């Protein structure tokens, strides 16, 4: 054994090997990477999701290098041809992904060397670091993800609007503290979720608007001495221009944070909508019945029909919240500029993108196909105590101070509760025993439909206001889909019909599971 070999054996080092030579940084090292380190540091199993975006960036890079004269035009053409071959292999599922090559960037570059030769392939990385390369890939991915998420949110809004149009005249209790509060229209209730989801879509639009600068050309952290055409690559990739600070470019991940924050908020909002579906589908409420296509059963109890889809959406909101906290924690202690910790940005990001996408899809199908039990909602809305506030406001119209009116009606409610009386059964004399301003009986003063219609202020439950809100929301959804379709290069016409199409597909998939409502029909749960 030679002295050098003995030292290597004692220290655990290995002689230069194939693994070290294949690394883009292998020239500095004389020993191979330990297999445990290769497994620990490899990211190809998840960052191959960036393949399409990496190819886009590399095409822009190759064209720019040829145009500015840093590589021969013939080499630029060879690179573009090779990148097309790589893309075809990835799409066909024949691309030889190799964990030893660490990431998607080196997998593509290594394959390119095999396809077009090492000389031309070796020129692609001219003036480029994996630091600005991955920042570019991530920016392109986030721009696409923001658009797709906006479309998903607008699609769910469209489904809610279609169901709301069906139920402008369906009344049910509105709730505070999960206690019956005041009567509302079901359309008004669903429009509340439409408003929330609209703000969610706006957050993704805002986030995308801030991803308007191209990282390509920022290098490892300080730019390049080479005459790179950053403006050219920025324009080709659809950015407003190049980033303004190379250190910020490779060190920052706030665009990913912003997506994760918006996704966590959206998932929390979906969780609240899902919770209502879970509650409303219980035998105790019986307001809705979910279609068979969006329900499951019990392995033991044959009578069960479980709302697993909304329950899973509710549960998966925790993943989205956790993914945001994960990346916040990764970033909080990092000095400028790039640190390998930043590799941990992708798995939580990819997970949240997929989780939100799938949740929006199944929630749209669930709502499109559920059966509304008008009879159960109407029975709950007929509770006369829902009109107690109306009684107090009648006194206010008689110049009674509201706090006094509130106390008076509170006493009336207490009297009815203790004596198990229907509020509407109180005569004029009964009411005047609490306050002389009452001029008629409770039955004459209180009317469910009149109560709902009397709330005619902007944003209220009156039919005219609900119809106005529906029309405004429908226009907003159509405009949002058109903007997203335009930004993604699709025709606005094909995008704008997405909500209607998704509703029809969901209903068709559910088959005959969504039955016509039959007043008084009991549910088996």
């Amino acid at each position: 054994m030679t002295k050098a070999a003995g030292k290597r054996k004692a220290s655990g080092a290995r002689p230069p090997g194939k693994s070290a030579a294949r690394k883009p940084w292998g020239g500095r090292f004389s020993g191979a990477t330990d297999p445990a380190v290769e497994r620990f540091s490899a990211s190809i199993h998840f960052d191959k999701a960036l393949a399409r975006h990496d190819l886009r960036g590399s095409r822009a890079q190759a064209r720019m290098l040829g145009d500015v004269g840093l590589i021969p035009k013939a080499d630029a053409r060879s690179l573009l041809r090779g990148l097309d071959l790589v893309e075809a292999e990835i799409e066909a599922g024949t691309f030889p992904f190799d964990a030893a090559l660490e990431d998607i960037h080196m997998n593509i570059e290594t394959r390119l060397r095999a396809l077009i030769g090492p000389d031309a392939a070796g020129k692609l990385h001219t003036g480029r670091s994996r630091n600005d390369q991955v920042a570019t890939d991530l920016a392109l991915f986030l721009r696409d993800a923001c658009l797709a998420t906006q479309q998903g949110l607008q699609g769910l809004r469209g489904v809610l609007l279609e169901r709301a149009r069906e139920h402008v005249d369906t009344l049910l209790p509105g709730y505070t503290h999960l206690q019956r509060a005041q009567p509302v229209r079901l359309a008004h209730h669903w429009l509340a979720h439409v408003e929330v989801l609209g703000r969610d879509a706006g957050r993704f639009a805002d986030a995308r608007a801030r991803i308007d600068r191209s990282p390509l050309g920022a290098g490892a952290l300080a730019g390049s001495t080479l005459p790179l055409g950053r403006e050219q690559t920025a324009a080709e990739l659809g950015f407003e221009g190049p980033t303004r600070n190379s250190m910020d470019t490779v060190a920052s991940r706030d665009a990913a944070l912003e997506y994760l924050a918006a996704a966590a908020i959206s998932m929390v909002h979906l969780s609240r909508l899902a919770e209502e579906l879970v509650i409303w589908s219980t035998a105790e409420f019986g307001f809705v019945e979910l279609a068979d296509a969006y329900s499951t059963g019990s392995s033991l109890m044959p009578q069960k029909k479980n709302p697993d889809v909304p329950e899973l959406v509710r549960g998966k909101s925790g993943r989205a919240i956790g993914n945001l906290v994960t990346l916040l924690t990764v970033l909080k202690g990092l000095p400028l500029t790039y640190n390998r910790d930043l590799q941990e940005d992708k798995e939580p990001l990819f997970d949240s993108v997929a989780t939100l996408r799938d949740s929006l899809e199944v929630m749209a199908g669930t709502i499109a196909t559920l059966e509304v039990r008008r009879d159960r909602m109407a029975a709950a809305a007929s509770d006369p105590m829902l009109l107690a506030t109306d009684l107090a406001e009648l006194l206010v119209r008689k110049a009674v101070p509201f706090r006094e009116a509130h106390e008076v009606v509170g006493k009336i409610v207490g009297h009815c509760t203790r004596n198990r009386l229907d509020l509407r059964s109180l005569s004029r004399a009964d009411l005047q025993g609490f306050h002389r301003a009452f001029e008629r009986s409770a039955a004459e003063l209180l009317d469910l439909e009149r109560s709902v219609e009397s709330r005619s202020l902007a944003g209220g439950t009156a039919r005219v206001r609900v119809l106005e809100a529906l029309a405004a929301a429908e226009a907003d959804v159509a405009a949002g889909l058109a903007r997203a379709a335009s930004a993604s290069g699709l025709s606005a016409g094909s995008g704008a019909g997405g909500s209607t199409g998704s509703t029809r597909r969901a209903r068709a998939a559910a088959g005959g599971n969504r039955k016509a409502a039959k007043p008084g029909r009991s549910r088996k749960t």
Side-chain angles (χ1 to χ4, degrees), residues 304-439:
K304 293 294 296 298
K305 186 176 187 180
N306 298 326
D308 281 22
V309 169
E311 287 176 346
L312 280 169
V313 169
R314 185 177 60 186
K316 286 177 183 291
S317 64
R319 293 171 67 125
I321 295 166
N323 288 335
L324 171 60
V325 173
T326 294
L327 187 53
L328 284 168
T329 306
V330 166
L331 293 172
K332 71 176 182 62
L334 299 187
L336 295 180
T337 57
Y338 182 83
N339 298 270
R340 190 63 180 269
D341 312 50
L342 292 176
Q343 179 173 297
E344 294 302 304
D345 61 353
K346 295 171 194 63
E347 287 183 286
L349 175 62
F350 296 161
D351 182 74
S352 281
V353 170
T355 297
L356 181 51
R357 177 199 64 213
D358 294 346
S359 296
L360 288 167
E361 181 180 3
V362 296
M363 284 297 283
T366 299
I367 292 166
T369 59
L370 64 79
E371 175 194 341
V372 173
R373 297 290 309 279
R374 289 181 175 90
D375 56 318
R376 293 294 294 264
M377 289 186 176
S382 67
D383 180 353
M385 291 303 184
L386 294 174
L387 307 182
T389 304
D390 297 51
L391 207 57
E393 289 177 349
L394 284 169
L395 291 177
V396 170
R397 292 178 182 276
K398 301 290 185 180
V400 177
F402 176 74
R403 287 301 174 199
E404 180 183 344
H406 187 286
E407 183 175 359
V408 167
V409 175
K411 291 177 179 178
I412 294 172
V413 169
H415 169 73
C416 291
T417 301
R418 286 189 300 273
N419 294 284
R420 298 185 179 181
L421 298 173
D422 186 320
L423 177 61
R424 291 166 299 193
S425 69
L426 299 185
S427 66
R428 175 186 174 187
D430 292 332
L431 291 178
Q432 286 191 330
F434 293 93
H435 201 288
R436 295 183 62 79
F438 288 114
E439 297 177 348

Side-chain angles (χ1 to χ4, degrees), residues 76-126:
R77 288 192 293 271
S78 292
L79 286 168
L80 292 170
R81 177 176 57 82
L83 291 167
D84 287 344
L85 293 173
V86 168
E87 183 174 46
E89 289 184 345
I90 291 174
E91 290 181 350
T94 59
F95 185 88
F97 289 108
D98 185 351
L101 294 172
E102 297 183 10
D103 55 34
I104 187 60
H105 322 298
M106 291 315 304
N107 267 265
I108 288 176
E109 184 174 329
T110 300
R111 185 58 180 158
L112 202 57
R113 293 168 71 89
L115 291 170
I116 66 171
D119 185 63
K123 295 174 181 176
L124 178 60
H125 213 54
T126 301

